[in-house]
Amino acid sequence: MGPVIRDNRRIDPVTGQPRRGKHAASQPAGTSGASPNEGGAATAAGPAPTPPPPPTQPTAPADSAAAAQLRTQLAERTADLQRLQAEYANYRKRVDRDRAAVREHAVAGALSDLLPVLDAIGQAREHGELSGGFKSVADSLQAAVGKLGLVSYGQRGDAFDPKIHEALTHTYSADVAEDTCVEIFQPGYKVGERILRPARVAVAAPTTALDEGGDAAEWPSGDL
């Protein structure tokens, strides 16, 4: 039996790979515990990576439910905004209406106090006593109250309207076809639709009313 030569080198001179295993030192030269292909592939590649799981896709029913919920919330918010806008518009209208009413009431109160002055100016004008500086002041005053909306009404021949006229006397006449203002004792004044003072007038009714009715109708009377 010949001599046995054992290669105790830890690196295989043929493959260049370290020898592994319990008996690596006792293996003949040029051999290793694993085949070169198996060892090289295992060392180079290593363990295969685990692929990530595919992303979870939402199901169609869940997507539809979420969209329906969003539409419901959008409709609620839209309705809230529309309600707030309508409330604000109504508030603005109410404030503007109240402001106009307060202004009209204040103007009417101030102009009511000036009616006796305007009556005196009117009487002076009828008698030809309005001249000189007094005429300039009277014209300026009448222009100022006109800018505030004061309107004078009441002319001879107007149809009698108990809403805006105050009948101080009542007669019958064949010259009229309806109740007519035949004399204006004091003109009426109004601001817009507000009557500050009704026109004080003498009223004549057609004689046909007296012939048909027999008794004369009762009319309200007053003092100048």
Side-chain angles (χ1 to χ4, degrees):
M1 183 176 180
V4 178
I5 300 174
R6 299 182 180 277
D7 189 353
N8 294 327
R9 291 176 294 183
R10 296 182 179 276
I11 303 300
D12 193 319
V14 178
T15 62
Q17 300 293 330
R19 294 175 177 175
R20 299 178 180 180
K22 182 178 180 181
H23 303 290
S26 61
Q27 293 178 355
T31 63
S32 63
S35 64
N37 293 334
E38 293 176 357
T43 303
T50 303
T56 303
Q57 298 294 334
T59 60
D63 191 12
S64 300
Q69 184 178 5
L70 288 177
R71 286 193 294 269
T72 302
Q73 293 178 354
L74 178 61
E76 292 176 353
R77 299 299 182 272
T78 303
D80 292 341
L81 290 176
Q82 291 176 346
R83 182 171 59 256
L84 289 176
Q85 185 177 7
E87 291 177 355
Y88 179 71
N90 293 333
Y91 168 76
R92 287 290 304 272
K93 292 179 181 179
R94 185 170 60 253
V95 169
D96 293 341
R97 185 171 59 251
D98 294 343
R99 184 183 294 115
V102 170
R103 179 184 180 278
E104 183 178 350
H105 181 74
V107 171
L111 292 176
S112 296
D113 295 336
L114 293 176
L115 295 185
V117 179
L118 297 177
D119 290 336
I121 293 175
Q123 292 175 1
R125 193 185 301 276
E126 290 178 358
H127 292 84
E129 299 175 357
L130 194 63
S131 60
F134 180 60
K135 182 178 183 302
S136 300
V137 174
D139 293 341
S140 299
L141 177 61
Q142 289 181 329
V145 296
K147 291 180 179 180
L148 293 176
L150 183 66
V151 176
S152 173
Y153 68 91
Q155 297 294 330
R156 184 177 300 177
D158 291 345
F160 176 75
D161 185 351
K163 295 180 181 179
I164 61 175
H165 296 120
E166 180 182 354
L168 300 183
T169 63
H170 177 258
T171 58
Y172 292 90
S173 173
D175 298 331
V176 297
E178 60 178 350
D179 294 342
T180 306
C181 300
V182 294
E183 188 69 29
I184 306 299
F185 298 121
Q186 279 186 329
Y189 290 98
K190 64 180 180 178
V191 176
E193 298 299 326
R194 181 192 294 267
I195 302 298
L196 300 185
R197 187 184 70 187
R200 295 173 176 175
V201 299
V203 179
T207 54
T208 55
L210 179 62
D211 296 337
E212 295 176 359
D215 296 335
E218 294 183 358
W219 290 83
S221 60
D223 297 332
L224 290 176

